[in-house]
């Protein structure tokens, strides 16, 4: 078995160590003897989405998102939309999450028309939503996910999308409706930056299984010793429950 990971804009969208999620997926596959390759595709590089099984898009500030607008026009947008509709697996974080939606209006009034692969939009506010936070993951039986958020954008989901889960502590999508993230086909979007997957190993494996099942029909992952990862998860969970 093999998973081919495409890391979109690795040099532009990489806030708070978002790339660590790619390293985590690589390691968790490698430890199980599953082959994995990671290809970075950035500005000016051709994207042939059918070459890959799993796409990762990290976060970026408003400036970086504006820089990408020109490159996203046309072919890259078509390829990303086709991959979403074909059921390819995506993990998109914060700015990358916003970019899969239809538009982002920054807090100072810049209109960024994005990919439009998902029925969602984002409006920036002057007050940022910052801090460690926690939410449930519906499809993991309501298990908790711990993360870190830092965004000015408030994201609103259209009727065809469901959230990843409910916010238990912090802001999530917009600080208003109690929802966090977005799910559509095999796309996972979240505001949670940095070491999301290392400290949420159950979610990491769920995403990997999604990609493997789409490619091979079934996916079983051998258990790993996640003592350290689970301790990190529990520590943050306890801190955020107080
Ligand atoms: N620029 C976006 C915002 O502030 C995304 C920020 C991020 O990716 N951390 O909402």
């Amino acid at each position: 078995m093999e998973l081919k990971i495409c890391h979109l804009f690795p040099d532009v969208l990489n806030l708070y160590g978002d790339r660590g999620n790619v390293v985590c997926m690589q390691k968790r596959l490698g430890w199980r003897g599953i082959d994995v390759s990671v290809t970075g595709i950035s500005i000016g590089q051709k994207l042939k989405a059918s070459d890959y099984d799993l796409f990762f898009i990290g976060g970026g500030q408003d400036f970086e998102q504006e820089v990408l607008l020109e490159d996203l026009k046309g072919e890259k947008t078509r390829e990303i939309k086709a991959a979403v509709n074909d059921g390819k697996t995506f993990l998109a974080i914060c700015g990358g999450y916003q970019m899969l939606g239809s538009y982002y209006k920054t807090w100072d009034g810049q209109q960024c028309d994005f990919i439009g692969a998902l029925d969602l939009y984002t409006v920036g506010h002057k007050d940022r939503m910052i801090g460690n936070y926690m939410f449930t993951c519906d499809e993991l039986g309501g298990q908790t996910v711990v993360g870190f958020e830092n965004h000015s954008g408030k994201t609103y989901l259209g009727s065809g999308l469901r959230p990843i889960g409910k916010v238990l502590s912090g802001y999530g999508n917009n600080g208003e409706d109690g929802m966090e993230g977005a799910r559509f086909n095999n796309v996972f979007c979240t505001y949670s930056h940095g070491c999301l997957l290392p400290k949420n190993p159950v979610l990491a494996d769920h995403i990997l299984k999604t990609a493997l099942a789409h490619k091979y029909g079934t996916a079983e992952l051998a258990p790993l010793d996640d003592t350290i990862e689970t301790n990190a998860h529990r520590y943050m969970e306890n801190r955020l429950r107080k």
Side-chain angles (χ1 to χ4, degrees):
M1 283 202 289
E2 179 186 18
L3 274 191
K4 293 183 178 162
I5 298 178
C6 177
H7 188 170
L8 285 166
F9 308 112
D11 49 344
V12 186
L13 299 177
N14 181 32
L15 281 178
Y16 316 112
D18 285 336
R19 198 181 77 85
N21 293 302
V22 176
V23 177
C24 176
M25 291 192 282
Q26 253 178 314
K27 289 284 180 194
R28 294 185 76 81
L29 290 165
W31 287 329
R32 282 136 162 162
I34 299 170
D35 291 333
V36 55
S37 65
V38 177
T39 306
I41 298 283
S42 195
I43 295 173
Q45 292 179 302
K46 192 174 167 60
L47 170 67
K48 190 170 163 227
S50 56
D51 284 349
Y52 307 101
D53 308 306
L54 197 159
F55 295 82
F56 177 80
I57 320 176
Q61 304 182 42
D62 294 3
F63 173 75
E64 281 93 29
Q65 290 176 293
E66 286 163 28
V67 163
L68 291 176
L69 283 175
E70 196 54 39
D71 189 67
L72 281 173
K73 278 187 192 148
E75 201 183 328
K76 268 209 185 89
T77 282
R78 279 196 297 279
E79 288 288 312
I80 292 169
K81 273 186 169 166
V84 167
N85 292 327
D86 285 352
K88 298 279 176 148
T89 301
F90 280 72
L91 173 59
I93 314 274
C94 197
Y97 167 18
Q98 296 170 352
M99 276 173 33
L100 287 178
S102 47
Y103 70 85
Y104 173 38
K105 189 165 186 185
T106 66
W107 69 273
D108 57 355
Q110 294 285 339
Q111 173 78 20
C112 301
D113 290 323
F114 281 148
I115 296 166
L118 302 181
D119 179 17
L120 61 89
Y121 67 93
T122 304
V123 180
H125 287 253
K126 210 161 182 182
D127 295 329
R128 299 188 70 81
M129 290 159 273
I130 306 176
N132 290 305
Y133 77 130
M134 177 163 67
F135 50 95
T136 59
C137 181
D138 292 343
E139 64 206 86
L140 292 177
Q143 285 188 58
T144 59
V145 177
V146 292
F148 170 75
E149 61 183 330
N150 182 357
H151 50 111
S152 81
K154 293 188 174 198
T155 296
Y156 301 92
L157 306 184
S159 54
L161 295 186
R162 59 187 198 280
I164 283 192
K166 293 184 192 61
V167 178
L168 298 173
S169 153
Y171 301 94
N173 281 349
N174 49 50
E176 295 163 8
D177 59 20
M179 293 197 241
E180 158 62 21
R183 284 283 287 109
F184 176 76
N185 281 0
N186 290 331
V187 180
F188 296 78
C189 295
T190 176
Y191 266 108
S192 182
H193 273 293
C195 49
L196 167 72
L197 297 184
K199 63 190 174 190
N200 295 285
V202 179
L203 178 63
D205 282 355
H206 179 59
I207 292 171
L208 294 175
K209 273 191 211 166
T210 302
L212 288 166
H214 185 256
K215 186 169 185 181
Y216 295 106
T218 74
E220 280 309 316
L221 287 176
L224 296 174
D225 177 2
D226 282 329
T227 310
I228 293 171
E229 291 83 350
T230 305
N231 282 345
H233 178 95
R234 288 212 186 109
Y235 176 83
M236 283 313 297
E237 191 179 44
N238 288 334
R239 235 174 85 173
L240 290 163
R241 278 203 199 279
K242 282 179 187 149

